[in-house]
Amino acid sequence: MKLLRSLSSRLVVYWVVFSMLAFFTVPATVLLPLAWLGIDDVGYVRLEGHTVKRARRILLNALRQRPDGAAYVEMTDELRAYSSRNPEFRYAAFDPATGVVFEGSSRDLVDYFSKELSRLEFLGANFHILDDSNPQSRGSMRMVQTPFGRFGTIVYGAQFHWDDLLFWLYYYPTTANVLAYLPLCATLSLVALVVVRKNLKPLRASAAKVAEIDLNSLDQRVPTEGLPSEVVPFIDAVNAAFGRVDDGVARQRRFIANSAHELRTPIAILKTRAEKLDEAPIKHEIERDVQRIQTILEQLLVLAQVEERGATAPMPELDLAETVLAVTADYTPIALNNRRRIAFEAPSVPVTANAYKWAIESVVTNLIENAARAEPAGGMVLVRVSPDATVSVVDHGEGVAPAHREMIFEPFWRQSETTPGTGLGLAIAKELIEKQAGRIWVEETPGGGATFKISLKK
């Protein structure tokens, strides 16, 4: 049933089914009621003229042939029952070549046509006997092919009964009628298929437009020009939904930015108070934790600014090596206080990239903090800027298992409950880099450890 999910295939199937019902029931449901009402009955056939087909069928079923080859009409149960229901019913069968009337036939019916049989072959004719007292009586003469040969048949005086409708419904799907229906059905099915596909082409274009919209382009709307009127309310509803989501995301971003901004002051106060503590191992741990919290807050503020500006302004060009060097220099005292060293490598020529300086500073700060925590005491973290605008932050700690190298960038992911941090830093860093058309990933450090890399567009 998967095929019927397509609107065009449904239309074709529905057309075939209902056109077949209409085509093969129209005699019983349309022609007979019209004859009963006398509408468009040009030949004045009336209902009695439509029952002759059933009468002829009953006559043909009663034809028999003796061993000597002579044909006759047998009074079968079917013929007897039909004659009982139609007291004025008469019938005859004859050989048109010899003029011999078959036994069991009404000879007088043949006599009406006897003078013409030598000159004419009646392929089919409806008639009424003028001296018949019933003006509604109708008859039919027709040549038919039977298992015994080609014979003439005449039926007359049968009255129409409404169960004749069932006969019409059963016998109308003849080979000729089916062959007449098939090309009509095929042609109109093809027309239906072409019409549906052509009219739904704009809808496929709208679907492609919807597929392009993400959180960074919620302000876009799907055009309704050229769409069928039946589809326009759906597209309007989709556009309205995008509008509501856009408003909700904007409110959420403003809330996060405002919250982060409000937290900057208490964090700054906490950092100042930590600096005034007496020298002790706990002081350095508090300073490191405060710095981590401050970095996350700064990242949230930077993310809000990137989202606000990214859609309206092109990213500026910056000196990547100079920016990363400044961050490395700022964090070096903190690393030294925690018995770690930081080394910096960069080409002798400037390395430029298209990115926001404050966004790169925020991400690199986060990566250096993580590397300094992972680096064993007395070890050295390496920060490298490559000519292809790639920043690498190398530590020699436990490293990141291959199975976790994608998961670590998910929000709130931590390897275990004992792992320090909130699990937000790398998630925010990834979003910041991707919003600047960059990429961030992690590799294994030769000899052990983790190497985080950022690649930016030059």
Side-chain angles (χ1 to χ4, degrees):
M1 296 301 291
K2 186 177 181 180
L3 178 64
L4 292 184
R5 296 178 62 183
S6 164
L7 182 59
S8 56
S9 62
R10 287 183 188 179
L11 180 61
V12 171
V13 170
Y14 293 158
W15 155 248
V16 171
V17 172
F18 288 107
S19 65
M20 184 181 297
L21 289 175
F23 186 86
F24 291 109
T25 61
V26 68
T29 58
V30 178
L31 298 182
L32 292 180
L34 289 177
W36 177 53
L37 296 171
I39 300 174
D40 200 28
D41 191 8
V42 178
Y44 197 61
V45 176
R46 308 293 294 177
L47 286 175
E48 285 70 21
H50 287 282
T51 196
V52 295
K53 186 174 182 179
R54 181 180 184 184
R56 183 181 301 108
R57 175 71 60 179
I58 293 173
L59 174 60
L60 292 176
N61 290 339
L63 285 180
R64 300 290 186 269
Q65 189 176 40
R66 292 192 175 91
D68 60 0
Y72 67 99
V73 179
E74 180 182 323
M75 181 57 70
T76 61
D77 293 340
E78 182 183 28
L79 181 57
R80 182 180 293 105
Y82 192 75
S83 299
S84 176
R85 292 185 67 192
N86 300 271
E88 299 179 4
F89 176 55
R90 289 178 287 171
Y91 50 89
F94 61 93
D95 188 338
T98 62
V100 174
V101 179
F102 298 162
E103 180 184 337
S105 299
S106 298
R107 176 73 198 195
D108 58 330
L109 282 179
V110 182
D111 290 342
Y112 284 108
F113 299 91
S114 58
K115 294 181 180 181
E116 314 297 336
L117 292 177
S118 61
R119 296 182 300 167
L120 297 174
E121 182 179 22
F122 288 90
L123 303 177
N126 289 334
F127 63 91
H128 169 70
I129 299 175
L130 292 177
D131 58 0
D132 190 343
S133 60
N134 184 0
Q136 304 299 331
S137 293
R138 297 292 185 272
S140 174
M141 180 180 180
R142 184 178 293 272
M143 297 299 172
V144 294
Q145 186 67 38
T146 73
F148 316 127
R150 192 164 183 269
F151 301 136
T153 60
I154 305 175
V155 291
Y156 185 80
Q159 299 300 306
F160 183 82
H161 301 279
W162 286 107
D163 60 350
D164 288 342
L165 288 172
L166 300 178
F167 174 85
W168 275 86
L169 292 174
Y170 182 78
Y171 283 100
Y172 189 74
T174 61
T175 302
N177 288 337
V178 171
L179 292 178
Y181 167 75
L182 289 179
L184 173 66
C185 178
T187 301
L188 292 183
S189 296
L190 181 61
V191 171
L193 185 65
V194 172
V195 169
V196 170
R197 289 189 176 274
K198 182 177 180 180
N199 283 275
L200 290 185
K201 187 176 180 180
L203 187 60
R204 288 192 289 272
S206 298
K209 181 67 175 178
V210 171
E212 296 174 356
I213 299 176
D214 55 20
L215 283 178
N216 298 320
S217 55
L218 287 173
D219 58 324
Q220 298 183 27
R221 296 295 178 265
V222 183
T224 57
E225 292 79 9
L227 289 174
S229 58
E230 295 83 358
V231 180
V232 171
F234 172 76
I235 299 300
D236 288 340
V238 171
N239 286 332
F242 280 140
R244 293 192 296 272
V245 173
D246 191 18
D247 292 341
V249 170
R251 287 195 299 270
Q252 185 182 45
R253 287 171 176 170
R254 288 194 298 270
F255 173 78
I256 293 174
N258 292 337
S259 299
H261 184 76
E262 291 297 323
L263 287 171
R264 293 181 77 179
T265 300
I267 292 301
I269 295 173
L270 181 60
K271 185 176 183 180
T272 301
R273 290 177 177 175
E275 291 173 352
K276 294 180 179 180
L277 294 175
D278 296 334
E279 289 294 330
I282 190 64
K283 174 183 178 181
H284 300 307
E285 292 180 9
I286 293 174
E287 287 179 337
R288 188 167 59 246
D289 292 339
V290 171
Q291 179 65 39
R292 186 162 61 244
I293 296 172
Q294 187 177 27
T295 299
I296 292 176
L297 287 176
E298 294 297 334
Q299 281 183 302
L300 288 173
L301 287 171
V302 169
L303 179 60
Q305 294 178 47
V306 170
E307 290 173 339
E308 185 69 24
R309 301 182 185 183
T312 57
M315 287 184 294
E317 187 178 81
L318 58 79
D319 187 327
L320 187 61
E322 181 181 336
T323 302
V324 175
L325 175 60
V327 173
T328 304
D330 289 343
Y331 197 83
T332 296
I334 299 176
L336 292 174
N337 287 337
N338 290 277
R339 295 183 299 160
R340 275 83 170 170
R341 293 172 296 153
I342 299 181
F344 177 78
E345 294 181 359
S348 57
V349 295
V351 178
T352 59
N354 292 319
Y356 294 108
K357 181 177 180 181
W358 23 270
I360 299 304
E361 290 174 344
S362 176
V363 173
V364 173
T365 299
N366 179 264
L367 295 182
I368 292 177
E369 285 181 357
N370 291 344
R373 288 200 304 271
E375 186 69 29
M380 182 177 67
V381 173
L382 173 61
V383 180
R384 181 189 300 119
V385 178
S386 303
D388 60 351
T390 299
V391 179
S392 302
V393 179
V394 184
D395 69 62
H396 306 85
E398 295 182 0
V400 180
H404 296 159
R405 288 176 187 173
E406 292 294 332
M407 300 171 62
I408 60 173
F409 294 102
E410 295 297 323
F412 305 109
W413 186 88
R414 292 190 298 170
Q415 186 171 354
S416 67
E417 292 299 325
T418 59
T419 303
T422 62
L424 284 175
L426 289 177
I428 300 174
K430 180 181 180 182
E431 191 165 355
L432 276 171
I433 295 301
E434 289 182 349
K435 286 185 180 299
Q436 299 174 94
R439 177 172 171 250
I440 182 171
W441 71 99
V442 62
E443 297 176 354
E444 182 178 1
T445 301
T451 299
F452 283 83
K453 293 186 176 183
I454 302 170
S455 177
L456 300 169
K457 283 189 175 183
K458 297 191 66 176

